[in-house]
């Protein structure tokens, strides 16, 4: 909930000094917004704003308050009741029974899960459902952590920068259980060819998502946690041995080939080095770009709400403020911000906030001197006609961070294996670490724009 200040009511619409139509401007990017005309309205508007923001599919709400309303006095007898979010809405029991039947009859089911599982707080139910019926799980970028990375049933991330194995595995599914997902193009690739052999069953709290991109054989709008709790009660156990034998075969055909450990400066090896040292409860935030995709591929997200990344909007500049927010909420946890030089510059002033608050945020800057993900697109799909992707002028980030009073280090590739990384991660307080990354390094494999997921190009993870 954002409470914003507006010019006095009488000046609204006159292009007054510093007037901007916050209501109009925020309309397409909020779940709801209010322009308050009288202080008495606040008694209803503020609880309503919190109720709306948290209920159903959560989303941001803006309350714009003109200056005169801010200065007004009101009399009232009682404070309003604090807002409570609506209880989770269950699904139609007949739908759940049909769904159980579909799962029971399927030979090659796959759970395709997303951020909805995390928002609904139902990772436990997901794990139980998957285990009970031996259903493998693939996740979107936003769903990472909802199902623990490394679990035998974990297929990893699907889609544009998922692994070859995952995208081929879901291609063979005969039932896709889409839970808390919205069939985003980064996950589906060419929609018409997404999971061509599968019947789709879709559960989401937001009815607008149902059948928006892909028509499902069975869909039900409701809380995905409630739906799973209902389903677990009636779904028989199954071990699905032939499906798992086939998945093992695919795993062998499309193995994930990590860069050799000697390639110490390779971004995936940096991410793996971090993954080996951080605890499951430590929080990782990312910015947007190649570093984000490398982190999604190689960082083992093992718990919900430990992976904070900007998915749907892909907003560069997200990583550092998100890390500060996370560390304020969980100061006992370590928070690591994986960022790029372009993204960090978008909100570089927040280094001052970090220095003020002295929070345990470690910033790992994957410094390739480029807007790397855009450079990669220009290389692969625009005939290497590079434009506006190389920083001609780059700050010295170590000096810059130190000028804010922060500890900062520049690492050499060989430092990934030494004790220095451990020292940085265990030291109290904030720190920035500048990691030199080869600018020619690309994120692979990759589904080319408009391509089907099976048409991935580039090497297996590492080209
Ligand atoms: C605010 C914003 N502007 C532009 C983009 C488009 N964009 C996506 S990735 C990217 C490059 C990111 O560069 P950097 O942060 O240095 O990360 P790298 O890809 O090099 O790891 C750009 C410009 C965006 N996502 N967000």
């Amino acid at each position: 909930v954002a409470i914003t200040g507006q010019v006095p009511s009488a000046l609204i619409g006159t292009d007054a000094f510093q007037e901007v139509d916050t209501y109009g401007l925020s309309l397409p990017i909020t779940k709801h917004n209010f322009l308050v005309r009288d202080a008495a309205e606040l008694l209803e508007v503020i609880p309503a704003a919190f109720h709306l923001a948290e209920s159903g599919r959560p989303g941001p709400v803006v309350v714009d308050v003109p200056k005169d309303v801010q200065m007004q006095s009101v009399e009232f007898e009682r404070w309003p009741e604090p807002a409570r979010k609506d209880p989770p809405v269950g699904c139609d029991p007949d739908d759940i029974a049909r769904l159980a039947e579909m799962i029971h009859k399927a030979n090659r089911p796959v759970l395709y899960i997303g951020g909805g599982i995390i928002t609904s707080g139902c990772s436990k139910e997901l794990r139980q459902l998957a285990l009970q019926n031996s259903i493998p799980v693939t996740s979107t970028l936003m769903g990472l952590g909802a199902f623990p990375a490394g679990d035998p049933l974990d297929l990893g991330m699907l889609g544009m920068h998922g692994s070859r194995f995952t995208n081929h595995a879901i291609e063979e599914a005969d039932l896709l259980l889409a839970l808390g997902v919205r069939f985003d193009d980064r996950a589906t690739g060419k929609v018409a060819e997404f999971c061509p052999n599968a019947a789709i069953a879709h559960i989401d709290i937001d009815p607008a998502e149902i059948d928006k991109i892909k028509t499902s054989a069975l869909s039900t709008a409701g809380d995905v946690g409630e739906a799973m709790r209902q389903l677990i009660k009636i779904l028989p156990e199954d071990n699905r041995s032939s499906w798992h034998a086939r998945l093992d075969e695919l795993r062998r055909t499309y193995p994930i080939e990590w860069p050799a450990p000697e390639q110490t400066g390779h971004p995936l090896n940096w991410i793996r080095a971090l993954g080996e040292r951080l605890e499951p409860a430590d929080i990782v935030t990312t910015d947007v770009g190649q570093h984000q995709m490398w982190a999604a591929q190689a960082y083992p997200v093992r718990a919900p709400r430990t992976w904070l990344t900007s998915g749907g909007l892909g907003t560069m500049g997200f990583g550092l403020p998100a890390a500060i927010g996370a560390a304020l909420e969980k100061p006992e946890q370590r928070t690591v911000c994986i960022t790029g030089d372009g993204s960090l510059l978008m909100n570089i002033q927040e280094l001052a906030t970090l220095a003020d608050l002295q929070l345990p945020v470690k910033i790992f800057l994957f410094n390739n001197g480029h807007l790397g993900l855009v450079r990669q697109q220009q290389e692969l799909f625009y005939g290497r006609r590079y434009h506006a992707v190389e920083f001609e002028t780059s700050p010295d980030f170590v000096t810059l961070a130190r000028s804010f009073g922060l500890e900062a280090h520049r690492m050499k590739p060989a430092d990934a294996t030494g004790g220095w990384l451990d020292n940085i991660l265990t030291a109290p307080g904030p720190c920035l670490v500048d990691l030199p990354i080869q600018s020619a390094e690309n994120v692979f494999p990759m589904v080319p724009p408009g391509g089907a997921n099976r048409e991935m190009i580039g090497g297996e993870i590492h080209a």
Side-chain angles (χ1 to χ4, degrees):
V1 174
I3 300 174
T4 54
Q6 186 54 275
V7 298
S9 307
L11 294 183
I12 290 178
T14 66
D15 298 331
F17 176 61
Q18 294 188 331
E19 180 189 3
V20 70
D21 177 9
T22 306
Y23 182 86
L25 205 61
S26 60
L27 208 57
I29 54 163
T30 52
K31 185 174 173 187
H32 199 81
N33 57 6
F34 296 92
L35 173 57
V36 181
R37 294 295 191 163
D38 189 288
E41 283 176 26
L42 288 168
L43 297 166
E44 282 176 25
V45 165
I46 297 293
F50 281 92
H51 173 252
L52 281 164
E54 289 187 295
S55 295
R57 183 181 187 167
V61 175
V62 167
V63 183
D64 201 26
V65 189
K67 171 110 189 276
D68 54 316
V69 177
Q70 292 175 32
M71 308 301 285
Q72 234 179 317
S73 298
V74 278
E75 285 186 16
F76 54 94
E77 306 217 320
R78 255 186 291 128
W79 285 103
E81 284 294 306
R84 277 186 226 301
K85 68 174 178 180
D86 290 338
V89 182
C91 296
D92 182 338
D94 289 345
D95 284 342
I96 298 294
R98 280 173 56 212
L99 183 56
E101 189 60 26
M102 276 173 92
I103 299 173
H104 185 53
K105 285 197 180 138
N107 293 317
R108 296 181 305 280
V110 167
L111 278 155
Y112 152 47
I113 59 110
I117 303 286
I118 292 172
T119 316
S120 160
C122 57
S123 292
K124 274 206 186 94
E125 288 84 348
L126 171 66
R127 203 165 145 76
Q128 194 179 334
L129 175 66
L131 279 176
Q132 186 167 322
N133 209 264
S134 300
I135 313 176
V137 183
T138 183
S139 172
T140 67
L141 179 72
M142 298 310 286
L144 293 178
F147 195 76
D151 186 286
L153 289 171
D154 174 35
L155 297 178
M157 185 174 76
L158 78 164
M160 184 177 264
H161 290 298
S163 77
R164 223 173 258 280
F165 156 67
T166 313
N167 282 335
H168 281 281
I170 58 172
E171 180 103 347
E172 296 194 11
D174 64 355
L175 174 65
L176 194 68
L177 293 158
L179 306 184
V181 287
R182 58 188 184 88
F183 293 84
D184 176 61
D185 54 85
R186 286 323 196 236
T188 62
K190 189 175 185 180
V191 182
E193 294 177 35
F194 178 58
C195 296
N197 304 307
I200 293 173
H202 191 187
I203 303 178
D204 199 275
I205 192 111
D206 186 351
E209 291 298 346
I210 305 286
D211 295 342
K212 184 181 86 176
I213 307 279
K214 264 303 227 194
T215 309
S216 33
L218 187 150
S219 61
T220 172
D223 178 75
V224 72
E226 279 298 308
M228 282 194 282
R229 284 188 282 278
Q230 289 170 268
L231 199 52
I232 285 163
K233 282 190 205 141
I234 55 172
L235 194 65
E237 291 191 9
D238 202 329
N239 65 18
R240 304 199 173 278
S241 48
S242 62
W243 181 210
H244 286 287
R246 174 63 187 147
L247 290 171
D248 287 343
E249 212 171 276
L250 284 170
R251 249 189 210 102
R252 286 193 294 274
T253 314
Y254 304 104
I256 296 178
E257 288 169 15
W258 298 109
E262 305 81 76
Q263 286 181 271
T264 45
H266 194 286
L268 286 169
N269 278 343
W270 278 117
I271 303 277
R272 277 154 67 84
L274 287 171
E276 282 160 14
R277 286 164 175 80
L278 292 170
E279 302 291 331
D282 289 335
I283 297 163
V284 170
T285 76
T286 81
D287 259 299
V288 178
Q290 290 180 313
H291 62 277
Q292 177 190 33
M293 292 299 118
W294 285 317
Q297 289 179 332
Y299 184 77
V301 191
R302 287 154 288 184
R305 296 194 183 275
T306 61
W307 168 255
L308 304 179
T309 196
S310 176
L313 288 176
T315 321
M316 290 167 70
F318 174 87
L320 176 55
I324 292 173
L328 279 171
E329 171 67 18
K330 298 251 184 233
E332 70 286 0
Q333 233 56 67
R334 267 180 305 199
T335 300
V336 165
C337 167
I338 295 173
T339 184
D341 39 346
S343 292
L344 185 60
L345 281 173
M346 294 263 176
N347 265 324
I348 193 82
Q349 77 285 356
E350 297 303 335
L351 289 181
T353 314
L354 186 58
D356 283 353
L357 298 173
Q358 285 298 310
L359 294 164
V361 171
K362 318 291 179 194
I363 303 166
F364 286 87
L365 169 60
F366 283 59
N367 192 347
N368 53 11
H370 283 72
L371 299 170
L373 203 60
V374 183
R375 192 207 62 77
Q376 172 166 346
Q377 293 265 340
Q378 294 181 354
E379 177 189 335
L380 300 177
F381 309 115
Y382 294 87
R384 296 174 193 251
R385 293 191 301 280
Y386 297 116
H387 179 72
V389 287
E390 181 175 6
F391 282 104
E392 286 168 33
T393 306
S394 263
D396 174 338
F397 285 95
V398 170
T399 308
L400 183 62
R402 286 183 184 153
S403 77
F404 282 98
L406 291 167
E407 193 182 315
H409 305 282
R410 182 164 293 115
M411 284 201 159
K412 297 188 294 298
D415 296 329
T417 48
W420 203 11
L421 197 52
D422 298 291
N423 294 345
I424 283 170
L425 289 171
T426 49
C431 178
L432 179 140
V433 182
D434 184 322
L435 306 174
I437 301 295
Q438 294 287 326
S439 62
E441 215 60 78
N442 283 332
V443 185
F444 282 130
M446 176 179 195
V447 177
N453 279 351
R454 89 183 79 84
E455 295 162 354
M456 306 189 92
I457 58 167
E460 179 47 50
I461 293 290
H462 174 58

